[in-house]
């Protein structure tokens, strides 16, 4: 679609005068070209500005400025290049530093002395080879991680599936012992792209702990005595995390350990993040009163599936009421405000929600 035509149409929809139109057109052209048109669900002829013009018409003329204001002033968009940069930083900023400290602790030397002699350098290379990297979802960008660390991390250390059966565990150990016949794994990094509420990683339902961490605990039990060193370490890394998730996962890990007791749960889990979104990122009635009013007025509760209800009984502010104005280039998190991503048919006095950044649902 001709961009000048759709900008003119957007100006009419918004009721902008000439000066305001000129100002907004400059911003819209720049942000579309630099970031938003890269959203993977957009198609040729229906990219950001076209989607914005369609999205904003669901609101009354008096409400459109509040909707546009959220996009203009508060939307957080993580592009492909920005996400890839976070993946590339994972090894030098997190893995290398953790292993360097592990070497220093074993040899009783300061971390900065690890590279000053052959013995600690050799131990570092040994511990690196004894480390596994396991993706928790297809958002872990394992392909980018592999390319960024080619020549440093072997393909035999990288597991491209969140669940590992016994045969795969044995293959991983055989590969490790091809280089050292008595070696066992000393650490694991579980990797994912994003965490907002912490519910998917670890939660308590009734009297049971569930989530990816609880599932990994069950699945690793069979091979712990034979495939792992005593005192092995578990690390969980997310490229992007919320301020809330950073706190919640620590609290739940501590609660699970207290409840299960040592030996029946991970004694220690090291959590790390490429970036942590600031505490003030979520919107609320204080920071965005007019837009929060829209989330109440233009809502269709048919988006509340059984999976969404794991985060609470109301999804208008997103899963777990995380209230994020966040878009990731490959998909919009369900923790973001529903008005940004939800698509419904409406009916029976329910509003038909139109998405600005349509979300590809993993659970239907």
């Amino acid at each position: 679609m001709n961009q000048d035509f759709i900008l003119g149409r957007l100006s009419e929809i918004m009721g902008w005068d000439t000066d305001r139109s000129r100002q907004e057109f400059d911003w819209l052209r720049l942000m579309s070209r630099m970031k938003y048109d890269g959203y993977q669900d957009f198609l040729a002829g229906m990219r950001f500005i076209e989607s914005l013009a369609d999205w904003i018409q669901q609101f009354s003329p008096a409400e459109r400025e509040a909707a546009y204001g959220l996009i203009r002033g508060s939307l957080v968009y993580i592009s492909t290049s920005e996400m890839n940069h976070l993946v590339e930083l994972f090894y030098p900023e997190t893995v290398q530093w953790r292993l360097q400290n592990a070497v220093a602790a074993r040899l009783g030397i300061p971390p900065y002395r690890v590279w000053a002699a052959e013995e600690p350098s050799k131990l570092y290379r040994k511990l690196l080879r004894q480390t596994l990297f396991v993706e928790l979802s297809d958002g872990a960008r394992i392909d980018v991680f592999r390319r960024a660390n080619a020549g440093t991390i072997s393909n035999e250390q990288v597991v491209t599936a969140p669940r590992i059966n016994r045969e795969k565990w044995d293959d991983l150990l055989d590969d490790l012992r091809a280089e050292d016949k008595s070696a066992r794994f000393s650490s694991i990094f579980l990797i994912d792209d994003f965490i907002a509420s912490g519910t998917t990683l670890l939660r308590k339902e009734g009297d049971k702990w569930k989530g990816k961490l609880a599932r990994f605990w069950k699945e690793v039990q069979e091979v712990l005595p034979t495939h792992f060193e005593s005192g092995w370490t578990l690390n969980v890394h997310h490229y992007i995390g919320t301020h809330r998730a950073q706190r919640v996962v620590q609290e739940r890990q501590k609660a699970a350990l207290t409840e299960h007791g040592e030996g029946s749960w991970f004694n220690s889990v090291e959590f790390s993040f490429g970036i942590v979104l600031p505490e003030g990122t979520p919107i609320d009635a204080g920071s965005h009163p007019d837009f929060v009013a829209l989330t109440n007025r233009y809502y269709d509760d048919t988006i509340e599936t059984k999976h969404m209800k794991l985060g609470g009984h109301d999804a208008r502010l997103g899963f777990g009421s995380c209230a994020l104005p966040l878009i990731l280039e490959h998909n919009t998190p369900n923790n973001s405000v529903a008005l940004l991503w939800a698509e419904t048919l409406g009916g029976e006095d329910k509003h038909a929600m139109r998405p600005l950044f349509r979300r590809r649902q993993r659970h239907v």
Side-chain angles (χ1 to χ4, degrees):
M1 188 177 293
N2 183 291
Q3 192 178 75
D4 290 338
F5 171 79
I6 196 62
L7 282 171
R9 178 69 183 127
L10 181 62
S11 178
E12 293 175 11
I13 295 168
M14 293 299 298
W16 290 334
D17 59 23
T18 303
D19 288 342
R20 179 74 188 280
S21 295
R22 187 180 300 113
Q23 179 185 0
E24 298 302 335
F25 289 178
D26 288 345
W27 182 83
L28 287 164
R29 287 191 179 102
L30 174 67
M31 295 305 292
S32 298
R33 186 171 65 252
M34 298 297 293
K35 305 201 79 172
Y36 302 151
D37 278 352
Y39 188 63
Q40 291 188 11
D41 205 67
F42 286 156
L43 303 172
M46 190 62 184
R47 297 196 186 276
F48 173 67
I49 295 176
E50 293 87 346
S51 184
L52 176 64
D54 181 62
W55 177 74
I56 214 154
Q57 288 183 80
Q58 68 183 309
F59 308 111
S60 73
E63 296 167 332
R64 290 171 186 168
E65 197 60 45
Y68 182 76
L70 181 94
I71 307 305
R72 185 73 158 85
S74 301
L75 190 72
V76 179
Y77 184 96
I78 307 294
S79 68
T80 300
S81 59
E82 289 166 334
M83 182 64 84
N84 287 349
H85 186 57
L86 291 173
V87 178
E88 291 163 358
L89 288 175
F90 170 42
Y91 174 74
E93 288 198 346
T94 302
V95 178
Q96 190 175 52
W97 178 241
R98 293 263 171 92
L99 294 181
Q100 188 175 340
N101 278 282
V103 171
R106 290 195 185 196
L107 298 180
I109 61 175
Y112 66 84
R113 296 288 299 170
V114 167
W115 312 115
E118 178 57 24
E119 183 187 5
S121 297
K122 185 177 179 180
L123 179 57
Y124 176 89
R125 292 192 294 273
K126 182 174 185 288
L127 292 183
L128 176 58
R129 182 60 188 89
Q130 290 176 262
T131 300
L132 285 177
F133 301 89
V134 180
E135 70 170 14
L136 284 178
S137 78
D138 54 9
R141 305 291 204 287
I142 286 297
D143 56 335
V144 180
F145 176 73
R146 277 176 160 166
R147 282 199 299 274
N149 298 289
T152 302
I153 294 172
S154 166
N155 277 350
E156 284 71 32
Q157 296 175 252
V158 181
V159 183
T160 57
R163 310 189 74 164
I164 309 174
N165 59 31
R166 179 56 190 256
E167 183 178 0
K168 181 63 178 177
W169 278 119
D170 291 343
D171 287 345
L172 291 167
L173 187 64
D174 289 344
D175 289 332
L176 174 64
R177 288 185 169 175
E179 303 170 29
D180 181 346
K181 294 186 182 305
S182 61
R184 298 184 183 187
F185 296 111
S186 62
S187 60
I188 286 185
F189 281 85
L190 303 179
I191 309 166
D192 214 341
D193 58 343
F194 176 64
I195 183 170
S197 67
T199 302
T200 303
L201 183 68
L202 186 61
R203 64 183 180 277
K204 193 168 186 183
E205 288 184 34
D207 60 350
K208 293 183 179 179
W209 287 92
K210 295 188 176 181
K212 293 178 179 179
L213 206 53
R215 187 178 66 201
F216 186 74
W217 168 257
K218 292 177 183 175
E219 294 178 349
V220 80
Q221 293 307 299
E222 183 182 8
V223 295
L224 273 183
T226 53
H227 291 49
F228 287 81
E229 291 184 343
S230 62
W232 70 284
T233 59
L234 178 64
N235 308 269
V236 180
H237 183 81
H238 290 84
Y239 302 128
I240 304 168
T242 63
H243 187 273
R244 169 181 168 181
Q246 185 183 37
R247 171 181 53 81
V248 164
V249 293
Q250 297 279 3
E251 292 173 351
R252 290 179 184 167
Q253 157 60 20
K254 185 177 180 181
L257 177 59
T258 300
E259 190 171 309
H260 288 93
E262 290 192 13
S264 298
W265 186 253
F266 302 110
N267 288 339
S268 173
V269 181
E270 297 291 333
F271 297 98
S272 57
F273 307 87
I275 58 169
V276 175
L277 299 175
E279 188 173 10
T281 301
I283 67 168
D284 58 31
S287 62
H288 297 77
D290 294 335
F291 189 83
V292 170
L294 296 183
T295 67
N296 292 322
R297 196 171 302 133
Y298 294 90
Y299 181 64
D300 182 350
D301 61 7
T302 60
I303 69 171
E304 296 173 7
T305 64
K306 67 176 183 179
H307 301 287
M308 287 294 289
K309 287 183 177 178
L310 288 176
H313 296 293
D314 189 331
R316 67 193 69 212
L317 292 179
F319 184 89
S321 297
C322 287
L324 296 173
L326 175 70
I327 308 296
L328 305 182
E329 47 80 27
H330 70 287
N331 204 8
T332 300
N334 63 1
N335 312 90
S336 291
V337 177
L339 264 180
L340 294 175
W341 55 264
E343 184 174 25
T344 69
L345 297 175
E348 297 181 357
D349 297 326
K350 294 178 180 177
H351 172 68
M353 301 178 76
R354 299 187 204 173
L356 176 55
F357 296 92
R358 191 170 71 89
R359 170 178 163 77
R360 290 184 182 271
Q361 298 285 358
R362 293 178 180 175
H363 304 289
V364 294

